[in-house]
Each structure stands twice: as structure tokens, then as C-alpha cells.
Amino acid sequence: MSPSEATADTADTADTVTKPAAAPSAGRHTLALFGSELRLVFGRARTQVGLGVLAAVPLLIGIAIKVTGSGGGGDGFLGQIAGNGLFLIVGSLALSMPFFLPTAVTVVSGESLAGEASLGTLRTMLTAPAGRSRLLAAKMVALSVFCLAATMVIWISGLIVGFVLFPVGDVLLLSGSTVSLGDGLVRALGIALVVALSLLGLAAIGLFVSSLTSTPLAAMAATFGAFVMLGILTAIPQVHAIHPWLLIYRWQSFADLLRDPPYYHDIIQNLLLQAGYVVVFYAAAWARITSRDIT
């Protein structure tokens, strides 16, 4: 080998050694962080147990109605289940909104940041390339996915149980008109989406409360306490002036999708209110976590 060739080989080797490997892009970091948060949320045993409880709600309702032999034509969605199993989806979602779904959301959102702090992993995560803002965004996205997943667990369970235990067919709407089963399924899916979006405001409150403490149980209790207080205020007629601004005031507006034509006014007002809560409490959580001294 000539001296010039040896020199060239040495230079190539030096370039190979000294050239740093290409760093992963910010987009790859973000996607990896989102994936990690989803695995963290859905990998927890309490999350899986909570989803199992939600899946059992339609089963328990369906068995109770089947065993008692309750006929159709009663008041509300439950009175229609025996005549058409599709209403088991709507009835289960309606019964889950006051307690089961909010409880599941408060548990997961309250643990989102406080759980990491209690385990001592939050400091490590905040020093990672993702940064605090991206970490908080990943937490909120994971909570949003959980809200949708929790709602769809009830939807799918209600669909299966309703079709197995009861007859299904054309759907009698609240306005008195009848639509096809396919149209009814689409409306039921729209109801599930509205319910999931209705939970985002509560999830944002839980995320903010979770940023204030390193004790998950305290964050869960405080979030659920806030939910209970909002429910009490909504039930007090003397404070009706503030009712339109309360988180859960229009939660039952999803039923307007079962009219012909659907009424969208209250649904839109509800979703705008949820968006407002998300903006306010997400901003508060961001201000807290970006200024917090993590030890």
C-alpha cells in the first residue's frame, strides 16, 4: 500500500470515528414519547381493572333486564332495551356518565404527573430531550386517548351484549320517527364520541391537580372532589346563573343525537365548554410544570 493510500484510509477511519451518529429528529422523539405514555397509561393494573369494570356495566344491565323480564316501552333508554338491544349502548353510557366514567378519568388523570413524581421518575423524564412542554402534551394526549378508549369499551360491550340478549332492528328515536339499524349504530357511535369529548374537561382538571402534588391518591381525591362540587352546584337551582359555565351542565346533551333531525345546539355548547376547560387547566398545568423545581 502506497503512503498516499494509507493516509487516505487513515483519514476515512478518523472521519468514521469522529462523525457523530445522526441524532433522532424531534418528531421521532415526540412519537416515542407519546407511545411511551400510552403504554404507561394502559399498562397500569388499575387502568385495566377500571376498563374491565366499565365493560361489565352493559353486561350487568343487560342480565338484570333479561332476568327480570322487563318489557319495552318504559321511560328513558333503559325502558327501550328489551325491545331493541341497540339501546343498551346508549343506556349504559347514560348510566356511566354520572359516576363510572368520571371516576375512571379522575384515577388516570390524577396519577398522570403525581404518579411519576412519587416514583421519582418525573425528574428523569423532564431532563430527557422531550422537555417539559412536550411531556405535558404527551400526558394530555394519553388522557384523551383514554377517555375515548373508556367510552368505546362501554360501546363495544353494550353492542355485543345487546345483540346477544335482545332483539335488534329499526330504532325508534326520541322524536317519534324510526330509522334503520345502521343509522342507529352511527348515531350511537356519535353519542360515544360526544361522551368521550365531554370527559376532556375533567381530564384537564386532573392533569392540573396532578402537577401540584407528588401524591397520586391526593390528586385523585382532589379531582373527584372537584367533580362532586360541580355536580352539587349543577343541582342547586338558586345558582342557575352559573349553570351554563359548569363542566357537567350539558353532559346529557348527547341524547339530542337521537332526534330527527339531531339537535346540535346543546352539543356544540357542551363541546365548546369542554374546550374552554381544557385550555384553562392545561395552561395552568403548563405554567406549573415549567416553573416547578423537580426534586
Side-chain angles (χ1 to χ4, degrees):
M1 180 184 295
S2 66
S4 59
E5 291 174 341
T7 302
D9 288 344
T10 302
D12 291 341
T13 303
D15 288 342
T16 303
V17 172
T18 58
K19 272 185 183 177
S25 64
R28 290 179 60 188
H29 273 308
T30 302
L31 290 176
L33 183 61
F34 287 160
S36 174
E37 284 302 318
L38 290 176
R39 289 192 296 271
L40 181 65
V41 169
F42 290 97
R44 292 189 179 113
R46 69 183 68 186
T47 302
Q48 297 168 2
V49 171
L51 292 175
V53 171
L54 293 176
V57 171
L59 179 62
L60 293 176
I61 296 174
I63 291 176
I65 294 176
K66 189 70 174 179
V67 169
T68 57
S70 300
D75 293 333
F77 299 122
L78 295 182
Q80 306 297 323
I81 293 175
N84 192 334
L86 181 66
F87 280 98
L88 183 59
I89 300 174
V90 184
S92 300
L93 288 172
L95 284 181
S96 300
M97 279 296 282
F99 180 76
F100 292 108
L101 281 171
T103 300
V105 172
T106 56
V107 169
V108 175
S109 62
E111 196 176 26
S112 56
L113 289 169
E116 301 285 355
S118 67
L119 295 174
T121 57
L122 185 58
R123 181 179 179 85
T124 302
M125 296 178 69
L126 293 179
T127 58
R132 300 190 178 202
S133 297
R134 237 183 297 180
L135 174 63
L136 190 66
K139 295 285 186 184
M140 191 66 218
V141 169
L143 289 176
S144 302
V145 173
F146 174 78
C147 290
L148 179 61
T151 306
M152 290 308 300
V153 163
I154 297 176
W155 195 95
I156 294 172
S157 176
L159 178 70
I160 295 173
V161 175
F163 276 52
V164 169
L165 296 182
F166 306 103
V168 293
D170 292 345
V171 180
L172 179 63
L173 301 179
L174 298 178
S175 55
S177 57
T178 303
V179 297
S180 66
L181 177 61
D183 193 335
L185 284 171
V186 172
R187 289 171 185 259
L189 189 59
I191 287 173
L193 180 59
V194 171
V195 170
L197 293 175
S198 298
L199 297 170
L200 293 184
L202 182 61
I205 293 175
L207 182 65
F208 168 64
V209 174
S210 186
S211 70
L212 301 176
T213 178
S214 58
T215 307
L217 287 178
M220 296 174 198
T223 305
F224 191 76
F227 168 73
V228 171
M229 280 198 326
L230 289 168
I232 293 173
L233 289 173
T234 304
I236 299 176
Q238 287 80 1
V239 294
H240 67 277
I242 67 171
H243 283 175
W245 302 99
L246 298 179
L247 179 72
I248 67 176
Y249 179 63
R250 290 190 173 91
W251 266 12
Q252 300 298 324
S253 61
F254 63 82
D256 288 341
L257 290 177
L258 291 178
R259 302 183 186 276
D260 190 22
Y263 296 166
Y264 292 108
H265 179 268
D266 282 350
I267 294 175
I268 293 173
Q269 293 298 314
N270 174 43
L271 298 184
L272 289 175
L273 183 64
Q274 302 304 318
Y277 272 83
V278 170
V279 169
V280 170
F281 284 97
Y282 182 84
W286 178 86
R288 168 61 177 163
I289 197 172
T290 53
S291 62
R292 181 177 177 181
D293 182 19
I294 306 298
T295 58

